[in-house]
Amino acid sequence: MHVARLILRDFRNYERAEVALGAGLNVVVGANGAGKTNMLEALYFGLTAQSCRTSNAREIVRVGASVARVEVHVQAEDGLHALEVGVEPGVEKVIRVDGTRLVAGVDPPRPLVSVFLPDRLDLVKGAPAGRRAHIDRVVVALWPARAGTRSAYARALAQRNALIGRVRAGAAGADLLDTWDRELAAHGAALMANRDAAVELVADAFATRASELGLPEPAELRYAPRCAAAEVEAIERELREHRESDLDRGFTTHGPHRDDVALVHGGRLLRTLGSQGQQRIALLALLFAERDALAARGAAPLMLLDDVMSELDLTRRERLSELVAADGQTVITATEPEHVPGAEHGATVIAVTAGTVTESSARAAA
Ligand SMILES: Nc1ncnc2c1ncn2[C@@H]1O[C@H](COP(=O)(O)OP(=O)(O)OP(=O)(O)O)[C@@H](O)[C@H]1O
Ligand SMILES: [Mg+2]
C-alpha cells in the first residue's frame, strides 16, 4: 500500500497544491520556510486525521481561509482509494473514504505512518510517558486485535484511583480495593506482555540499525517494567504491598502506568547522557527497526522523515539513504537535494517554493 497522490486545499501555507508521489523514495526540496514540513504534516493528516505537530486545528487552516482539506489517494491491493479530511476550527472533522463519510469503527484502507520530526526527539530524551504511548502504538500496529488493552488498563486505573479517593474521604472501606487490584493486575499483565513482546521483536533490529547509522558503541532497547513480576497474582501482590502508600499519596503509585522503555548506548541511558546527534540516530534506528518488524508482517509503514540529513555526516547520510531505499515508501525533506545521496537514481523529487509545488519529477535511474 502506498500514497499515490496528495491534494491540499488551504492547508498551512498551501492554498492549492497537488502532487504525485512515487512508491519508493520521495524527496521534498525547498528553502527554509517553503512548506516542506507542512507537506509531511499534510500526508500524516490525510492518513490519520491528526496532525503530527499540533492539536490546534486553527494552526492548520491557512491564514485567511476557514476550512482546510487534505485528500490522499492510496494505492491498495484492490485499487485506488481516496481519503479526504476536512478541518474547520470548532467543528468536528469530516473524514470521507471514496466519497462516503467514514463510519466509526471502520478502518479505512491506509498505510501506517511513522514520522521523524526534530521535536520527536522528545521520544528519546523526554519523560517515560511518551515512550509508553509509543510502544503501545507499536503493539497496536503489530497486533491490531490488542488495541483495547491499553484503554482497559487505563479504565481500571481510573476506577482504582477514584476508589482511593473515596477511601481517603472515609466514604468507602479499603477492602473494596481488592477487586480493583485484581482487575488492574489482570489488565496490567496483558499490557506488560504486549510491551515485552513488541520490544523483543524490535530490539535486535534496533541494535543493528543503530550501529549501521553510526552509533559508535552497542545500542540496546530494553523494556523497563515497574512491576517485578509478570503474572497476574504476583502483580496483585505488588499492588497490595503498595496500598498503604497509595492511600497515603492519593493515587496508584505502582504498576505498568509507570513503565519505561530504555534506549541505551554503550551501557548509558541515551535519555540523559546521549548527545543530540546520538539521540537523533537512536530515534531513527528505532523507527527503522519498527519498520522492519512491520514490513516482515507485510505492512511497512509510510516513513515521513523531516530534516534528518542536515545533522548527519556524509557516511551516515549514505547509510540512511540505503535504509530508506531498501523497503517501502518514504518521504524525506531536505533543503538541498544533494543531502539525500542516491536520490538521483529513481527518486521522485518534489520542489516547493512558498507554498507552491514548483516541480515534481520522477528522476529516471541514471
Ligand atoms: N496556518 C498557516 N497559514 C499560512 N501559513 C502558514 C500557516 N502555518 C504555517 N505557515 C507558514 O508555513 C511556513 C513554514 O512552512 P514549513 O514549516 O513547512 O517550512 P519548511 O520548508 O519545513 O522550512 P524549514 O526548512 O525551515 O524547516 C512559514 O512561512 C509559516 O509562516
Ligand atoms: Mg521544516
Side-chain angles (χ1 to χ4, degrees):
M1 233 182 328
H2 72 270
V3 175
R5 187 171 293 275
L6 171 71
I7 301 166
L8 305 179
R9 195 61 197 281
D10 292 324
F11 186 96
R12 295 278 189 187
N13 65 338
Y14 293 93
E15 188 175 349
R16 275 163 192 273
E18 179 161 350
V19 51
L21 294 148
L25 173 60
N26 298 270
V27 185
V28 181
V29 187
N32 293 128
K36 303 182 296 297
T37 306
N38 292 349
M39 189 172 280
L40 289 196
E41 183 187 26
L43 279 164
Y44 189 93
F45 195 81
L47 290 169
T48 66
Q50 310 276 342
S51 165
C52 48
R53 287 162 111 186
T54 179
S55 54
N56 184 357
R58 221 165 283 280
E59 291 172 26
I60 290 172
V61 179
R62 189 175 63 85
V63 172
S66 56
V67 185
R69 215 177 294 284
V70 176
E71 193 174 326
V72 168
H73 294 179
V74 174
Q75 184 65 58
E77 263 166 30
D78 64 346
L80 205 60
H81 294 281
L83 270 55
E84 195 191 325
V85 188
V87 54
E88 186 176 354
V91 178
E92 208 187 329
K93 266 177 291 218
V94 178
I95 306 169
R96 283 176 206 282
V97 180
D98 298 326
T100 310
R101 233 180 139 135
L102 183 67
V103 184
V106 174
D107 208 17
R110 62 181 169 201
L112 295 164
V113 208
S114 181
V115 53
F116 177 100
L117 292 172
D119 54 0
R120 278 211 83 195
L121 270 190
D122 258 2
L123 190 60
V124 178
K125 63 182 184 191
R131 286 183 291 281
R132 284 195 297 273
H134 180 79
I135 200 71
D136 289 343
R137 277 194 295 275
V138 173
V139 164
V140 176
L142 288 165
W143 304 290
R146 302 187 195 180
T149 314
R150 180 181 160 98
S151 49
Y153 179 83
R155 274 196 302 277
L157 180 64
Q159 302 269 23
R160 190 178 188 274
N161 283 336
L163 183 57
I164 286 174
R166 291 213 301 283
V167 174
R168 276 159 59 96
D175 53 332
L176 283 179
L177 279 166
D178 290 349
T179 312
W180 286 110
D181 285 0
R182 199 160 314 129
E183 184 83 7
L184 196 63
H187 292 304
L191 187 60
M192 288 169 63
N194 288 348
R195 290 174 175 172
D196 195 43
V199 170
E200 166 92 33
L201 208 60
V202 169
D204 282 350
F206 173 74
T208 309
R209 297 307 182 206
S211 137
E212 284 172 358
L213 289 170
L215 279 189
E217 295 177 72
E220 214 187 315
L221 186 71
R222 223 187 275 148
Y223 177 39
R226 181 56 72 102
C227 293
E231 308 77 39
V232 179
E233 291 75 24
I235 295 172
E236 199 181 330
R237 269 199 302 282
E238 288 186 34
L239 290 171
R240 185 74 187 75
E241 283 159 20
H242 286 82
R243 187 180 290 181
E244 205 67 36
S245 78
D246 289 358
L247 286 168
D248 215 40
R249 297 174 65 183
F251 60 94
T252 303
T253 57
H254 189 73
H257 58 291
R258 311 293 295 274
D259 282 356
D260 200 352
V261 176
L263 291 107
V264 180
H265 173 231
R268 299 175 302 277
L269 272 183
L270 277 158
R271 177 186 176 190
T272 44
L273 298 175
S275 73
Q276 180 106 340
Q278 290 170 344
Q279 291 171 338
R280 281 173 74 90
I281 293 173
L283 175 56
L284 279 170
L286 180 65
L287 298 182
F288 276 101
E290 290 163 3
R291 184 195 65 171
D292 293 347
L294 288 166
R297 290 174 145 63
L302 165 63
M303 305 290 288
L304 302 177
L305 307 177
D306 191 26
D307 204 18
V308 279
M309 295 298 191
S310 57
E311 284 177 43
L312 298 178
D313 57 39
L314 183 59
T315 316
R316 284 166 184 164
R317 278 180 192 168
E318 282 171 350
R319 285 185 186 153
L320 181 59
S321 292
E322 282 164 25
L323 269 183
V324 161
D327 215 342
Q329 187 179 28
T330 303
V331 184
I332 190 165
T333 69
T335 46
E336 314 290 337
E338 298 76 47
H339 287 173
V340 187
E344 62 278 17
H345 305 299
T348 299
V349 178
I350 300 155
V352 293
T353 316
T356 308
V357 178
T358 50
E359 182 204 348
S360 170
S361 62
R363 297 203 174 169

